[in-house]
């Protein structure tokens, strides 16, 4: 960028001296530029004799912040946030990817996805682990590796649906179309885990054919691919005379037993299941089936239809019977001798009632219940009539009994339930009114009372005595809360008086954790550690047995307990010293562990390592006597400690040397 | 369009959600003590009140905002909301019925054919997404209608949209797309 024209004289002959960094006009001699930015590379000599370039690498997307070597020494050379995020992400991707046995190419692709995500600010507001997992799963999908989302969630101990949400978002934002999951991908993996030995390939092929058959039969849409795989493998194994129980398959495939059974049942419904083994190998049936949920729905509809028809038929039959009974009754009445007094009048009343009810039932209200009731009452009355009529010609004595029966009948059935007596008239009217109501004027905020029945609303509110009762109950229930409120108010009032009242904004409490409820101390420890997510290096099984203390006869456990970690050994020692009984209170245990396992594990490790290392020789002598096993654990633990130490020293070494980091970066940049 | 010639599809509205403001501060404790069908959720800070007539559940906040759910039509939602405001009025608060708005409508519709979901998803890539490990249905979003449709392989479709009109439009829009990926029975090609 050389200035072409001199500002003072307009001359174009300008001399640029790179060494001094000047630009001078030769005609008038005015200095046009001072301190030109030099693009030369300078070299410095290192302590080892080699020379390295002076300067730093600045990425194009970096902010203008210059890292200050001096104060911000510790966090990876004080690089800016973006580079740190990327480095952190890369490390996590490699860590997870190695656990999943993904090859380097996949990991690189995943890192690319991650970089894209970071540049689109998708990592904001999301846990880094979730984003990493989503990137990895995206790679698995695009490459077609047999990894399930379930595996990732297993590793991270995160809910599958949460991961799924993040994954979907990532795929959408990056506009990457993940190809649909094919259950055939999982077959080799599961077959390998089920250990079919030499016949592995054959069983896999059979299972594949079964799966394809399932696809044709519409069993696979909307279903988890792992469930289908499990069913196919089970059948394939049986076909080749391998006995694999449902439980084994479940453990490998990670579905529930009922799911597997359901898939098998569905497959049973398909016509393919009727073929024998040889037939299946040769022939492929042409016809396809409907999806199982569809057939289930159809079945339901069919059942409903049948039921409806049945009820109709019953109705018809009943009506016929009723009509026959009417005829019989009239015949009998005509042929019957006249009866005396009370009975006759009652009979007449009954018949009148029945006829009226019949007519009302037929013409009248839309409620089917009424009709049913009338029919029922008819039958009952008819039955009784028949009985009475039978008895009457037989015995005169029975007159008293029927007489007493009929009043009860009339009292039971006489006043048939109408809408009015059921108290429904009001509501029916309201319903009709509501439908006819006009549009309201919602704009001015006034409540349009059209169609709102006040009296009904009154029913929603309690009356005086009820209010009192409820108030009492409520007060009793929430007594402690009310006390708290009162105290708070008093406190505020006092502070106001003193003039030091500060308006406390509702501070977002730092991750309010609910109290751990566990039946044993071991469980409590487990749960607490899960919550705090301390370390993946802690052997949880060991912790569970921590509570068993010195009282157990199982010395092996002692050794295993000891092998947990440095911190644990310290507490172990303390616990053995203090109380050897098994009934150590849960809270105590938790409290003792909590201060040790703080958010700065490094410092504590350093602090604990000293007593830990002291403890180890003490206890190692104790435990070496017992078993050979614990010694191994000791080594492991020592290795772990060393690792931690090494890590720390590693960081410091990096900082000191400085050049290593540059070298690393240089490789990366050259790759671009 | 084929949908006009064929049998008319029944769109059944199952849920309507609406909001309104009473423009006055409400004392939740009083409502909790004097109402019949109320649940006071102190930790969240709201009162749930359930009405029987239009069967709705309303969440009432002390600021005066009320959210009403469970109605089966827009008119019913409005009626229920007004009923609720009336009962609050009876309790002694000076309520006004303002800013009534239907926020969400949930409807169900069944197609007379089954649908191939992987095919449907592939042909409608960015708008449709199908993740069988997570949910058996494919979800399809229409941005300008702000509608989300869940398409199941049996042919039933669940639609959620801000109003009934949008629901109908969404169903009309999705019909041809779904019709393409329908499953024809006894097909000899796979």
């Amino acid at each position: 960028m050389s200035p072409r024209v001199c500002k003072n004289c307009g001359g174009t002959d300008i001399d640029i001296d790179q060494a001094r960094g000047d630009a001078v006009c030769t005609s008038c001699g005015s200095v046009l530029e001072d301190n030109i930015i030099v693009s030369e590379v300078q070299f410095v000599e290192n302590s080892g004799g080699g020379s390295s370039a002076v300067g730093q690498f600045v990425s194009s997307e970096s902010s203008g912040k210059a890292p200050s070597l001096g104060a911000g020494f510790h966090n990876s050379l004080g690089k800016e946030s973006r580079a740190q995020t990327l480095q952190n992400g890369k490390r996590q991707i490699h860590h997870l990817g190695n656990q999943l046995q993904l090859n380097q190419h996949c990991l690189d692709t995943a890192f690319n996805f991650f970089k894209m995500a970071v540049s689109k600010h998708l990592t904001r507001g999301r846990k880094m682990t979730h984003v990493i997992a989503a990137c990895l799963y995206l790679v698995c999908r695009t490459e077609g590796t047999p990894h399930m989302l379930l595996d990732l969630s297993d590793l991270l101990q995160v809910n599958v649906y949460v991961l799924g949400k993040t994954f979907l978002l990532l795929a959408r934002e990056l506009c990457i179309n993940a190809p649909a999951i094919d259950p055939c991908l999982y077959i080799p993996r599961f077959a390998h885990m089920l250990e079919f030995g030499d016949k592995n390939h054959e069983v896999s092929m059979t299972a594949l054919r079964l799966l394809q058959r399932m696809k044709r039969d519409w069993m696979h849409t909307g279903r988890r691919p792992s469930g289908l795989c499990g069913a196919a493998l089970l059948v394939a194994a049986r076909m080749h005379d391998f006995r694999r129980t449902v439980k084994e398959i479940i453990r490998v495939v990670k579905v529930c037993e009922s799911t597997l059974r359901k898939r098998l049942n569905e497959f049973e419904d398909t016509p393919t299941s009727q073929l024998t083994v040889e037939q299946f190998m040769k022939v492929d049936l042409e016809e396809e089936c409907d999806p199982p949920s569809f057939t289930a729905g159809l079945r339901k509809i069919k059942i409903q239809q049948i039921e409806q028809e049945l009820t109709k038929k019953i109705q018809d039959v009943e009506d016929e019977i009723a009509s026959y009974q009417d005829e019989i009754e009239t015949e009998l009445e005509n042929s019957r001798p006249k009866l005396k007094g009370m009975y006759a009048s009652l009979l007449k009343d009954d018949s009148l009632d029945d006829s009226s009810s019949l007519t009302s039932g037929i013409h009248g209200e839309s409620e089917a219940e009424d009709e049913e009731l009338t029919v029922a009452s008819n039958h009952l009355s008819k039955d009784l009539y028949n009985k009475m009529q039978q008895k009457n010609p037989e015995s005169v004595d029975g007159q008293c009994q029927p007489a007493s029966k009929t009043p009860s009948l009339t009292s039971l059935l006489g006043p048939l339930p109408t809408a009015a007596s059921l108290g429904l008239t009001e509501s029916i009217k309201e319903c009709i009114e509501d439908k006819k109501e006009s549009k309201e004027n919602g704009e001015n905020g006034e409540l349009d009372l059209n169609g709102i029945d006040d009296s009904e609303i009154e029913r929603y509110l309690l009356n005086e005595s009820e209010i009192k009762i409820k108030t009492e109950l409520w007060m009793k229930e929430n007594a402690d809360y009310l006390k708290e409120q009162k105290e708070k108010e008093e406190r505020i009032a006092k502070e106001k008086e003193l003039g030091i009242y500060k308006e406390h904004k509702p501070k977002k409490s730092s991750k309010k954790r609910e109290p751990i409820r566990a039946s044993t101390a071991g469980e409590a420890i487990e749960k607490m550690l899960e919550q705090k997510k301390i370390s993946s290096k802690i052997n949880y099984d060991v912790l569970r047995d921590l509570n068993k203390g010195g009282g157990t006869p199982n010395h092996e456990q002692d050794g295993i307990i000891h092998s947990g970690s440095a911190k644990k050994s310290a507490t172990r020692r303390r616990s053995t010293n203090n109380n050897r009984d098994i009934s150590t209170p849960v809270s105590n245990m938790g409290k003792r562990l909590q201060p040790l396992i703080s958010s700065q594990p490094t410092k504590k490790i350093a602090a604990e390592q000293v007593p830990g290392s002291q403890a180890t020789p003490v206890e190692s002598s104790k435990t070496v006597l017992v078993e050979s096993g614990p010694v191994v654990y000791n080594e492991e633990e020592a290795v772990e400690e060393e690792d931690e130490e090494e890590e720390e020293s590693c960081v410091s070494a990096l900082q000191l040397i400085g050049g290593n980091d540059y070298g690393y970066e240089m490789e990366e940049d050259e790759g671009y | 369009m084929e949908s006009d010639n064929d049998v008319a599809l029944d769109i059944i509205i199952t849920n309507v959600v609406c909001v309104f403001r009473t423009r006055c501060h409400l004392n939740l404790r009083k409502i909790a003590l004097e109402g019949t069908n109320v649940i006071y959720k102190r930790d969240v800070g709201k009162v749930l009140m359930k009405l029987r007539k239009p069967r709705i559940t309303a969440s009432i906040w002390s600021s005066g905002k009320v959210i009403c759910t469970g109605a089966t039509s827009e008119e019913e939602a409005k009626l229920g909301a007004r009923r609720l405001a009336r009962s609050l009025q009876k309790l002694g608060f000076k309520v006004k019925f303002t800013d009534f708005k239907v926020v969400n409508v949930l409807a169900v519709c069944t197609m007379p054919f089954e649908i191939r979901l992987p095919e449907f998803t592939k042909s409608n890539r960015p708008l449709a997404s199908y993740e069988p490990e997570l949910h058996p249905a494919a979800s399809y979003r229409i941005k300008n209608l702000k509608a989300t449709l869940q398409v199941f392989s049996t042919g039933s479709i669940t639609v959620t949209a801000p109003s009934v009109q949008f629901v109908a439009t969404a169903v009309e829009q999705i019909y041809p797309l779904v019709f393409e990926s329908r499953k024809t029975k006894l097909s000899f090609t796979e």
Side-chain angles (χ1 to χ4, degrees), chain B residues 134-151:
Chain B
L134 295 176
H135 191 60
S139 83
Y140 184 89
R141 282 178 202 267
I142 304 177
K143 196 160 180 184
N144 48 357
L145 297 175
K146 282 191 265 182
T148 307
L149 297 103
Q150 289 195 341
V151 181

Side-chain angles (χ1 to χ4, degrees), chain A residues 141 177 224 448 454 460, chain B residues 36 82 86 125 131 133:
Chain A
R141 276 293 204 97
N177 297 324
R224 286 241 179 106
D448 186 10
D454 268 3
Y460 280 128
Chain B
T36 37
R82 287 193 296 113
R86 178 82 182 118
R125 243 326 145 74
E131 203 66 34
E133 291 190 33

Side-chain angles (χ1 to χ4, degrees), chain A residues 59 86 102 145 286 323 352 405 432 488 559 574 620 650:
Chain A
S59 84
L86 288 177
L102 287 171
T145 61
E286 292 295 348
S323 62
L352 274 175
K405 267 188 203 163
I432 298 169
K488 195 173 171 185
R574 261 182 240 168
S620 63
C650 261

Side-chain angles (χ1 to χ4, degrees), chain A residues 520-552:
Chain A
T520 66
E523 264 189 53
I525 294 168
E526 257 187 335
K527 283 190 188 168
M528 185 270 300
L529 283 171
E530 267 175 48
Q531 276 183 2
K532 275 216 169 189
K533 282 196 193 139
I534 305 298
S535 162
S536 52
K537 291 183 181 167
I538 295 178
N539 187 351
Y540 289 121
D541 294 327
V542 164
L543 288 179
R544 217 179 291 130
D545 305 328
L546 197 65
N547 190 29
K548 299 228 176 108
T552 49

Side-chain angles (χ1 to χ4, degrees), chain A residues 137 141 161 177 186 218 222 224 288-289 293-294 445 448-449 454 456 458 460 462 470 478 481, chain B residues 29 32 34-36 42 52-53 82-83 86 90 97 114 125 130-131 133-134 136 154 183 190:
Chain A
Y137 187 59
R141 276 293 204 97
Y161 296 105
N177 297 324
Y186 295 140
W218 279 78
R224 286 241 179 106
E288 297 177 343
C289 298
S293 43
F294 187 72
D448 186 10
L449 293 177
D454 268 3
E456 198 214 329
E458 294 268 330
Y460 280 128
L462 305 168
K470 193 160 182 184
N478 301 308
Y481 172 71
Chain B
R29 199 190 287 192
E34 297 182 14
T36 37
R42 210 206 310 128
R52 261 183 236 123
K53 186 61 69 48
R82 287 193 296 113
R83 275 243 168 94
R86 178 82 182 118
K90 290 231 150 156
F97 189 72
E114 290 124 50
R125 243 326 145 74
Y130 174 44
E131 203 66 34
E133 291 190 33
L134 295 176
T154 56
K183 182 195 162 196
E190 175 49 22

Side-chain angles (χ1 to χ4, degrees), chain A residues 296-413:
Chain A
L298 277 179
R299 232 181 275 161
K300 259 194 217 169
I301 294 172
K302 264 192 208 165
I303 291 173
Q304 274 181 357
Q305 279 177 346
I306 291 172
E307 272 182 24
Q308 278 178 2
E309 281 176 35
L310 277 175
T311 47
K312 265 191 220 162
K313 281 192 187 160
I314 290 173
Q315 280 280 338
D316 293 337
V317 171
E318 282 178 354
D319 287 340
E320 273 190 52
I321 293 176
S323 62
Y324 285 145
Q325 282 183 335
D326 279 341
E327 285 180 28
I328 293 172
E329 191 218 306
T330 45
E331 278 295 318
L332 281 173
E333 258 194 45
N334 296 339
S335 57
R336 208 176 46 202
K338 227 181 168 190
L339 294 163
K340 299 173 202 163
M342 186 179 65
Y343 191 53
S345 57
L346 280 171
L347 253 186
K348 277 194 205 141
D349 286 340
D350 270 337
S351 58
L352 274 175
D353 264 336
D354 285 337
S355 55
S356 63
S357 62
L358 260 177
T359 48
S360 64
I362 291 169
H363 301 300
E365 291 123 38
S366 50
E367 325 234 354
E369 301 166 355
D370 273 6
E371 281 186 16
E372 283 184 5
L373 279 166
T374 51
V375 174
S377 66
N378 282 348
H379 294 178
L380 276 174
S381 54
K382 296 307 174 220
D383 285 342
L384 270 173
Y385 277 148
N386 287 337
K387 280 193 202 156
M388 289 186 295
Q389 283 144 23
Q390 281 170 7
K391 277 185 189 170
N392 267 329
E394 287 168 3
S395 61
V396 189
D397 298 341
Q399 269 187 25
C400 313
Q401 286 175 0
S404 54
K405 267 188 203 163
T406 38
S408 55
L409 180 61
T410 44
S411 55
L412 277 174
L413 294 178

